[in-house]
Amino acid sequence: MSYKIGLVGKPSVGKSTFFNAATMNDVPEGAYPFTTIDPSMGEAYVRVDCAAPEFDHTCTPNHGYCTEGVRFVPTKLVDVAGLVPGAHEGKGLGNQFLTDLNEADVLVHVVDFTGETDLEGEPTEDHDPREDIDFLEDELDMWYLDILEKGIERYRSGYHGEDKAIEDDLAEQMSAFKINADEIKQVVLALGLELDPDTWDDEDREALAREIRIRTKPMLIAANKMDTPEAQANWEPITEDPEYEHLTFVPVSAHAEKALKNGNEQGVLDYRPGDEDFTVTADLPEEKAAGLEQIREFVTEFGGTGVQQALETALFEELGAIAVFPGARKPQEDGTFLQDCFVLPDGSTAEDFAYFLHTDIGEGFLHAHDVRTERQIGADTELDHRDVVEITTTN
């Protein structure tokens, strides 16, 4: 599988700039609604410390690239269009928006932290970015609630028999969210509710829909335009607001990331994505040099532009994924070594990894080796982030 990070946000917040900065694709940018009309798919990268130096060898990546001991592993980034108030009711590009959104494994919500765009994406002053956070969560909650209500109706109809539990019907109705009956039962009980929808009032159903959404569609906030005083003034009041304890915030300047990548491609500076500094390698006009120094102040203070940090936090922390290297201690006869690095779900076992590589490898699985320790590991051994694993199979 290949994870998909969904990029969401209202119009004109810099979402397309973020997407372009992360993928360096030519998606149209503009400060007006629906610049992005169709979902755009791009290849972004997440950083993983390469294991090759531990074996005194140099890796030869099949996909992505490696520089100075840092492996840049591909992941899919989806720029989802059409977020406006009422999307769950079909307004704007609502229905398509929700369909595209559901294909994402984890969400990065790009928010204009300057407060200079309103909920419709139009220029304004003194807009509270909290409203943007709230309205996306509300849209998603109402979407989940609508599907939850259909599951309750399904249960009450007795279509599948009187003995069927409510969590079974809800799991079938909400299967698109990749949640099973046991997990739904856990959520219901965790909220202190009975396993009987007739005892749930409107508030209970809304709380249940919200909790299922939080558990099945993890999300972080990319606080964009944080290289401006206006955004920085909003950072502390919002990130310390107890209403948002369930959310992770990453300070971001998508504009800065794109400027640095452009400069690197043009050969006027050396910049590795995610680094907190860069080197100017050419004589530049005074205005451009001054602009780069402003960017340098920002990335130094915030530890980078935030674009890489947002993607990696979404994948490895919010989603809890791990990266695993298939390989051996020595290069192959043709000199290849640690050609691949794959991102898997947390809790993946050695046998899961074998099936991930190929069905035939999984079906013929005998055992695996932890290449670092040279110890044999069994099928049910859970893997850790950055493990290097060699599979022994009859196939």
Side-chain angles (χ1 to χ4, degrees):
M1 66 176 294
S2 179
Y3 282 110
K4 290 182 182 178
I5 300 174
L7 202 61
V8 295
K10 70 183 186 184
S12 309
V13 297
K15 182 166 63 76
S16 292
T17 303
F18 185 109
F19 180 87
N20 285 344
T23 64
M24 293 303 281
N25 285 357
D26 294 324
V27 172
E29 299 173 17
Y32 52 91
F34 298 114
T35 302
T36 306
I37 297 175
D38 297 315
S40 298
M41 179 81 74
E43 186 174 79
Y45 299 90
V46 290
R47 294 170 297 172
V48 177
D49 288 340
C50 187
E54 300 174 42
F55 302 97
D56 296 323
H57 297 301
T58 301
C59 69
T60 53
N62 271 331
H63 307 287
Y65 61 98
C66 191
T67 176
E68 298 178 5
V70 177
R71 191 78 166 250
F72 284 78
V73 181
T75 189
K76 291 180 180 179
L77 185 62
V78 185
D79 186 1
V80 183
L83 174 59
V84 295
H88 74 279
E89 298 173 338
K91 295 180 180 178
L93 304 176
N95 294 330
Q96 186 61 45
F97 165 77
L98 296 175
T99 299
D100 296 333
L101 191 73
N102 198 44
E103 294 181 0
D105 298 291
V106 61
L107 305 179
V108 172
H109 182 192
V110 182
V111 175
D112 178 359
F113 252 52
T114 65
E116 294 179 351
T117 49
D118 64 19
L119 285 178
E120 301 289 346
E122 301 293 344
T124 188
E125 295 180 0
D126 299 324
H127 176 74
D128 190 341
R130 291 179 181 86
E131 293 184 30
D132 298 355
I133 298 170
D134 294 343
F135 107 77
L136 173 60
E137 293 208 288
D138 289 345
E139 288 294 335
L140 297 183
D141 290 346
M142 292 302 101
W143 174 36
Y144 270 66
L145 179 60
D146 180 59
I147 298 173
L148 177 74
E149 297 282 13
K150 291 176 181 176
I152 294 173
E153 292 174 10
R154 179 188 187 128
Y155 171 76
R156 285 174 173 163
S157 71
Y159 179 76
H160 291 290
E162 296 180 0
D163 295 334
K164 194 155 191 181
I166 178 61
E167 60 266 28
D168 293 325
D169 275 314
L170 292 182
E172 288 184 27
Q173 191 68 43
M174 308 185 83
S175 60
F177 299 131
K178 301 175 184 177
I179 187 168
N180 60 42
D182 286 341
E183 291 167 334
I184 287 181
K185 183 176 181 179
Q186 290 173 11
V187 176
V188 173
L189 297 178
L191 292 175
L193 303 177
E194 296 180 35
L195 291 168
D196 178 3
D198 289 336
T199 65
W200 304 342
D201 58 21
D202 290 347
E203 188 175 322
D204 293 333
R205 292 193 296 275
E206 289 175 9
L208 181 56
R210 178 179 176 82
E211 187 61 27
I212 293 174
R213 188 267 302 171
I214 289 173
R215 295 194 185 200
T216 61
K217 198 63 65 177
M219 175 169 58
L220 69 77
I221 306 299
N224 197 26
K225 306 182 185 180
M226 277 295 295
D227 52 342
T228 64
E230 295 82 4
Q232 292 174 16
N234 284 325
W235 174 259
E236 189 171 319
I238 295 175
T239 58
E240 294 186 0
D241 189 330
E243 290 292 320
Y244 304 115
E245 288 181 351
H246 64 289
L247 290 171
T248 299
F249 293 82
V250 177
V252 172
S253 171
H255 167 77
E257 178 73 6
K258 191 173 184 190
L260 293 178
K261 281 188 174 176
N262 282 335
N264 188 73
E265 286 192 351
Q266 295 164 9
V268 300
L269 57 86
D270 285 334
Y271 171 66
R272 186 176 64 176
D275 282 357
E276 57 187 46
D277 202 359
F278 56 90
T279 302
V280 178
T281 59
D283 292 330
L284 297 174
E286 185 176 337
E287 184 178 351
K288 287 189 176 181
L292 284 174
E293 287 309 307
Q294 289 182 339
I295 291 176
R296 190 190 304 279
E297 291 179 11
F298 170 74
V299 298
T300 300
E301 180 179 356
F302 288 89
T305 68
V307 171
Q308 279 297 137
Q309 289 85 345
L311 297 176
E312 291 153 8
T313 301
L315 200 59
F316 295 126
E317 296 184 24
E318 296 304 309
L319 196 59
I322 60 173
V324 180
F325 296 86
R329 293 189 67 84
K330 297 179 181 180
Q332 302 295 318
E333 291 182 2
D334 60 0
T336 58
F337 186 66
L338 293 188
Q339 291 179 280
D340 295 304
C341 181
F342 297 113
V343 179
L344 282 73
D346 185 28
S348 293
T349 65
E351 187 174 37
D352 292 334
F353 186 41
Y355 274 102
F356 174 89
L357 295 174
H358 198 282
T359 302
D360 288 345
I361 296 175
E363 290 178 348
F365 180 90
L366 293 175
H367 52 76
H369 276 86
D370 181 324
V371 178
R372 284 192 179 90
T373 64
E374 298 185 343
R375 295 178 61 183
Q376 181 173 308
I377 56 178
D380 59 353
T381 300
E382 289 193 7
L383 304 181
D384 293 324
H385 184 55
R386 295 187 63 251
D387 270 353
V388 183
V389 178
E390 186 175 37
I391 304 293
T392 300
T393 175
T394 58
N395 295 326

